[in-house]
Amino acid sequence: MKIPVWLDCDPGHDDAIAITLCCFHPALQLLGINASYGNAPATRTAYNARSLITALGMFEQIPVYAGAQKPLYRTPEYAPDIHGESGLDGTELLPEPKCDLQEKSYLDAMEEAILKYSNDITIVVTGPLTSLATLLTQRPHLKSKIRYISIMGGGVEVGNRNDNCSAEFNVWIDPEAANFVLQDSELKDKCILLGLDITHKAIATQQVIENVRGVVDKSKLRQLFYELFQFFAHSYEGAQDFKNGPPLHDPLTLIPLLEFYGWTPKSQVQFYYKRLDLKVVDDTNQPDFGKTCVIKEYDFEDKKGTMVGFNSNMEFFWKQILSSFEEAEKHSTIE
Ligand code: RIB
Ligand code: CA
């Protein structure tokens, strides 16, 4: 049985790789995408999601919905320093979308997917938690029907936002939404958190980026992603001094699922995590505003606490990424 996933994202260069992995990894069944504000305004991320799905040749199979347009209470922050004004700067090869945004609301679409794949579905969040918090606030009966929530966000020892550099962008832009998910007694223990502690170990070196471009077949699709990776690498070197390559945050959300659903042996994935109760600093006057703080650590036998990732077999990770591009090339519609 494939792993049914819903992708709640803000494409976004690393979101683009997560979309590719969701579309083409043999273990994953991508049910739908909602594009929310985050790396760029929601109108931009929605366009980017549709363009990427078109480039991947999946515009007839994967529905794209407009997600949350702004944080629950705050004014939106974006990340042009990393992703550019469009949210996906760095290439001219992104095609005009061949699909429109779905008319149906993401709330109705997500509810239908959760009910159809009840107790088996994972909600993957690679942007702010606003869309998910909105859904589960308005429709709390869905909480018990979600098997896992795999989140790129937060960080225990590492940050990339606020005066102390102790917060992570996805959580920092909507801390109330993050606290809703991470503090809810029905949700927190089924959350898998891929924070900066682990994502800063997933560095897309120039060798990785060359492998994405490929040596023999320089397909337009590979060239497109090569250019996106180069832009992402240049941004991260300039903005956060990453000299060996950018951290590829978002696709890591899919890796623990391969182990937890029994697709890949634990010995291969080697996802190393702790079980923690977390709370996000939501007082704007605090220098640690947006930081994910540990309030309790559990023993594994307690089976409680968010599963916070600290390491994984990165060779295995890159192998999943590169093989998804081989598959993607067979479907791509850009020539
Ligand atoms: O802090 C990294 C996260 O913020 C990633 O999800 C990236 O895409 C941005 O959304
Ligand atoms: Ca993202």
Side-chain angles (χ1 to χ4, degrees):
M1 287 287 286
K2 283 179 176 261
I3 302 166
V5 296
W6 183 279
L7 181 58
D8 175 1
C9 58
D10 63 335
H13 292 71
D14 52 334
D15 302 78
I17 312 302
I19 291 172
T20 306
L21 202 55
C22 284
C23 284
F24 296 110
H25 193 288
L28 303 172
Q29 179 187 359
L30 179 57
L31 302 172
I33 292 174
N34 63 287
S36 91
Y37 79 94
N39 287 323
T43 47
R44 286 298 329 174
T45 61
Y47 179 90
N48 294 341
R50 291 185 295 128
S51 176
L52 286 162
I53 283 291
T54 300
L56 292 167
M58 296 295 280
F59 56 92
E60 290 170 320
Q61 294 90 327
I62 310 294
V64 180
Y65 301 83
Q69 303 294 300
K70 65 177 215 39
L72 294 179
Y73 308 107
R74 300 174 186 276
T75 50
E77 298 277 355
Y78 306 120
D81 58 327
I82 300 292
H83 300 277
E85 289 301 326
S86 75
L88 209 47
D89 279 13
T91 181
E92 299 297 321
L93 295 177
L94 279 167
E96 275 302 307
K98 287 185 179 171
C99 57
D100 295 324
L101 277 179
Q102 298 292 316
E103 302 261 310
K104 188 181 290 181
S105 79
Y106 79 93
L107 298 168
D108 290 341
M110 288 182 78
E111 172 161 24
E112 284 168 23
I114 292 167
L115 294 177
K116 183 173 179 187
Y117 293 89
S118 185
N119 302 317
D120 202 20
I121 188 170
T122 286
I123 309 295
V124 177
V125 187
T126 62
L129 282 153
T130 315
S131 301
L132 185 60
T134 303
L135 174 73
L136 298 180
T137 301
Q138 293 179 13
R139 310 185 193 199
H141 63 281
L142 297 176
K143 291 182 186 176
S144 62
K145 297 177 173 48
I146 296 169
R147 184 165 175 182
Y148 292 111
I149 301 169
S150 189
I151 303 161
M152 191 281 133
V156 175
E157 304 296 337
V158 186
N160 61 20
R161 284 294 189 277
N162 83 22
D163 301 343
N164 290 347
C165 204
S166 61
E168 180 281 324
F169 179 76
N170 287 344
V171 167
W172 175 75
I173 57 179
D174 197 343
E176 285 79 14
N179 271 329
F180 173 85
V181 175
L182 296 173
Q183 297 235 297
D184 182 286
S185 57
E186 270 195 274
L187 299 176
K188 72 180 182 68
D189 301 335
K190 60 175 85 172
C191 288
I192 308 164
L193 194 80
L194 292 298
L196 298 179
D197 309 281
I198 187 171
T199 67
H200 278 196
K201 295 171 182 168
I203 298 300
T205 60
Q206 273 308 310
Q207 183 56 65
V208 165
I209 297 172
E210 288 301 331
N211 291 343
V212 169
R213 178 157 67 168
V215 281
V216 181
D217 176 2
K218 297 216 185 313
S219 64
K220 269 281 171 66
L221 184 77
R222 284 180 179 275
Q223 185 62 25
L224 161 61
F225 276 91
Y226 173 76
E227 291 174 6
L228 289 175
F229 264 107
Q230 290 293 40
F231 179 90
F232 196 50
H234 183 71
S235 298
Y236 257 97
E237 182 170 11
Q240 298 183 26
D241 205 28
F242 277 79
K243 298 200 178 316
N244 297 324
L248 197 67
H249 310 280
D250 293 340
L252 269 172
T253 50
L254 287 314
I255 298 304
L257 303 182
L258 301 179
E259 182 178 319
F260 291 176
Y261 279 79
W263 264 80
T264 312
K266 187 183 176 69
S267 57
Q268 259 190 31
V269 181
Q270 299 170 12
F271 180 56
Y272 168 63
Y273 62 97
K274 295 179 184 175
R275 302 217 59 168
L276 307 170
D277 277 357
L278 301 167
K279 180 167 177 13
V280 179
V281 178
D282 57 6
D283 175 355
T284 30
N285 300 315
Q286 294 292 326
D288 277 335
F289 171 69
K291 178 176 165 53
T292 333
C293 301
V294 177
I295 49 177
K296 184 175 173 58
E297 182 165 355
Y298 295 91
D299 294 331
F300 277 79
E301 45 272 16
D302 297 334
K303 295 196 186 312
K304 288 173 73 72
T306 295
M307 293 160 270
V308 181
F310 287 87
N311 212 336
S312 196
N313 177 344
M314 293 303 167
E315 194 183 325
F316 173 78
F317 170 62
W318 292 116
K319 196 169 174 306
Q320 310 314 302
I321 301 292
L322 294 174
S323 50
S324 66
F325 278 109
E326 281 159 32
E327 206 48 43
E329 267 187 314
K330 299 173 191 166
H331 290 77
S332 177
T333 53
I334 55 170
E335 57 278 324

